[in-house]
């Protein structure tokens, strides 16, 4: 029977190797309940499609002007002859401007695919999964914003014996997580900060639901990889690292595959600009050598609690299990 449930997809990356074992197809879904200040994918924040503007590629109204002609809301803003942005208060996301743009100056973030359409894409890479022990990873945004769609795709993958991974912030109702668990081989999630107040300041939500869902996954014996994006001045204090180690040791009983410490990199600034959003991390240190020493030091500190912490994103083996 055809499954026409629709999901809103930002991107599909094939042949990825870091978000789960083996060679994978990674599906990025739109919508995220967290608004992390260091997010490198602002186009994933909202659950609806929206238009981004790449001003540098505009050839101008004299040579084109098609977008100006079709925007009946008058939402397009121009600097001289070329488009400079979009008045988001006026824009109704009808996408008429993007549909007539001749060179991707106006790009739609968010494409609708049915479960069956996505499964056709996934099945095309089946031989790579079989040869490498890989599979499919659902990311975002946060895929659990579109949990019914994701559940249906996961279920079809499991019927085909395709390995599945869900990369989620886990800021969701327990009932939603329980809908996803039966069809998922691996979860990947973050611990942004152990103090809920600080967590709210940097992500817009507290951490109680997230930490509770991490405990729930461990109680269900679900394979789990944790990540911490280490950002200088935000979550790298000795107190926060100590509390993180104590939580993983005492509440998760160190029953995780790995804790990956990831360095902050100032990515996605162009996408912020395209959406008319100010980039919040301007000036934040991102020196790679600094982070290499810092991540190694933090990993060694967490290892004192028995936590399997590693500096950087390590490739996962198909046979890695808790």
């Amino acid at each position: 029977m055809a499954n026409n449930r629709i999901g809103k997809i930002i991107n599909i990356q094939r042949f990825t190797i870091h978000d789960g074992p083996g060679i994978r197809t990674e599906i990025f879904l739109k919508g995220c309940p967290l608004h992390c200040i260091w997010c490198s994918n602002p186009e994933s924040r909202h659950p609806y499609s929206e238009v981004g503007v790449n001003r540098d590629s505009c050839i101008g109204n004299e040579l084109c002007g098609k977008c100006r002609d079709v925007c009946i809301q008058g939402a397009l803003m121009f600097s001289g002859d070329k488009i400079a942005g979009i008045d988001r208060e006026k824009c109704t996301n009808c996408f008429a401007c993007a549909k007539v743009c001749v060179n991707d100056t106006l790009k739609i973030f968010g494409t609708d695919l049915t479960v069956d359409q996505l499964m056709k894409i996934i099945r095309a890479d089946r031989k790579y999964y079989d040869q490498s022990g890989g599979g499919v990873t659902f990311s975002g945004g946060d895929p659990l914003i579109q949990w019914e769609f994701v559940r249906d795709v996961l279920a079809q993958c499991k019927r085909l014996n395709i390995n599945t991974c869900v990369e989620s912030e886990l800021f969701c109702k327990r009932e939603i997580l329980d809908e996803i668990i039966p069809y998922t081989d691996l979860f990947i999630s973050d611990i942004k900060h152990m103090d809920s107040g600080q967590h709210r300041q940097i992500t817009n939500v507290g951490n109680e639901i997230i930490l509770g869902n991490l405990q729930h996954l461990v109680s269900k014996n679900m394979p789990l990889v944790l990540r911490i994006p280490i950002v200088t001045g935000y979550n790298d204090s000795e107190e926060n690292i100590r509390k993180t180690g104590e939580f993983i040791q005492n509440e998760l009983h160190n029953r995780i595959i790995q804790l990956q410490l990831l360095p902050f990199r100032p990515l996605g600034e162009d996408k912020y600009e395209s959406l008319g959003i100010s980039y919040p991390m301007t000036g934040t240190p991102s020196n790679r050598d600094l982070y290499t020493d810092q991540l190694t030091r933090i990993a060694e500190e967490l290892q004192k609690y028995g936590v399997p912490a590693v500096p950087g994103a390590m490739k996962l083996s198909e046979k890695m299990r808790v």
Side-chain angles (χ1 to χ4, degrees):
M1 180 181 296
N3 190 325
N4 294 317
R5 192 186 297 278
I6 293 174
K8 199 163 290 292
I9 311 298
I10 306 169
N11 190 19
I12 298 175
Q13 291 183 0
R14 303 171 66 203
F15 311 118
T16 66
I17 59 171
H18 287 296
D19 295 322
I23 296 172
R24 311 190 70 79
T25 301
E26 189 158 8
I27 296 104
F28 295 83
L29 291 103
K30 216 168 182 316
C32 186
L34 275 64
H35 292 173
C36 303
I37 61 174
W38 53 69
C39 177
S40 59
N41 296 301
E43 78 283 8
S44 71
R45 181 175 298 177
H46 299 300
Y48 51 82
S49 298
E50 53 196 325
V51 178
V53 181
N54 179 13
R55 295 183 295 178
D56 293 339
S57 67
C58 180
I59 60 176
N61 287 324
E62 187 175 340
L63 294 175
C64 180
K66 293 182 179 180
C67 61
R68 177 195 57 190
D69 295 339
V70 300
C71 183
I72 61 175
Q73 290 81 21
L76 301 181
M77 300 184 295
F78 294 88
S79 176
D81 188 46
K82 297 185 178 183
I83 190 166
I86 296 176
D87 186 332
R88 303 289 169 173
E89 295 296 321
K90 294 181 179 178
C91 181
T92 60
N93 283 329
C94 70
F95 309 118
C97 60
K99 291 175 182 176
V100 299
C101 183
V102 297
N103 60 345
D104 288 334
T105 296
L106 297 165
K107 178 180 179 180
I108 300 174
F109 292 118
T111 300
D112 289 341
L113 289 178
T114 67
V115 170
D116 289 344
Q117 288 171 329
L118 182 54
M119 285 305 303
K120 183 177 180 180
I121 296 171
I122 290 170
R123 286 195 299 270
D125 287 340
R126 178 68 184 270
K127 64 179 179 180
Y128 300 107
Y129 312 150
D130 293 343
Q131 292 171 359
S132 68
V136 180
T137 297
F138 295 87
S139 187
D142 193 309
L144 299 190
I145 288 288
Q146 302 184 53
W147 69 269
E148 293 173 305
F149 175 81
V150 170
R151 178 200 58 197
D152 290 357
V153 180
L154 285 168
Q156 289 209 30
C157 287
K158 294 313 295 179
R159 282 194 286 270
L160 295 173
N161 199 32
I162 295 174
N163 180 275
T164 58
C165 172
V166 171
E167 186 174 2
S168 170
E169 306 292 355
L170 299 180
F171 188 79
C172 66
K173 294 180 179 179
R174 184 69 50 81
E175 307 90 88
I176 291 176
L177 195 54
D178 284 336
E179 289 274 352
I180 301 298
I181 285 174
Y183 309 111
T184 306
D185 293 308
L186 172 69
F187 280 89
I188 298 176
S189 191
D190 289 352
I191 295 181
K192 313 283 191 185
H193 205 292
M194 286 305 300
D195 180 88
S196 189
Q198 292 293 319
H199 194 280
R200 186 178 299 277
Q201 287 188 22
I202 60 180
T203 71
N204 206 41
V205 302
N207 67 7
E208 293 86 356
I209 291 174
I210 295 169
L211 298 182
N213 279 333
L214 289 174
Q215 292 173 283
H216 183 63
L217 289 178
V218 166
S219 75
K220 295 291 185 179
N221 295 314
M222 291 302 302
L224 174 64
V225 170
L226 290 178
R227 290 171 172 169
I228 302 179
I230 298 295
V231 186
T232 300
Y234 289 91
N235 62 354
D236 62 334
S237 70
E238 291 184 10
E239 180 184 15
N240 186 55
I241 299 306
R242 174 180 58 79
K243 288 183 177 179
T244 301
E246 291 173 348
F247 173 77
I248 297 173
Q249 180 186 56
N250 299 327
E251 305 301 330
L252 302 186
H253 313 294
N254 282 334
R255 290 166 57 192
I256 62 173
I257 294 173
Q258 203 173 68
L259 171 62
Q260 300 175 350
L261 303 171
L262 306 181
F264 166 74
R265 294 189 176 93
L267 303 175
E269 191 168 358
D270 57 330
K271 289 185 283 188
Y272 277 89
E273 183 179 1
S274 76
L275 291 167
I277 306 171
S278 60
Y279 183 61
M281 299 301 288
T282 300
T284 302
S286 61
N287 183 282
R288 180 169 296 183
D289 292 335
L290 168 66
Y291 272 108
T292 297
D293 294 340
Q294 183 185 36
L295 297 183
T296 299
R297 174 182 57 78
I298 293 173
E300 291 173 350
E301 186 63 29
L302 289 167
Q303 289 164 8
K304 296 177 182 178
Y305 296 88
V307 176
V310 294
M314 310 293 286
K315 186 176 180 181
L316 297 171
S317 165
E318 178 191 11
K319 296 181 179 180
M320 291 182 75
R321 292 291 185 269
V322 288

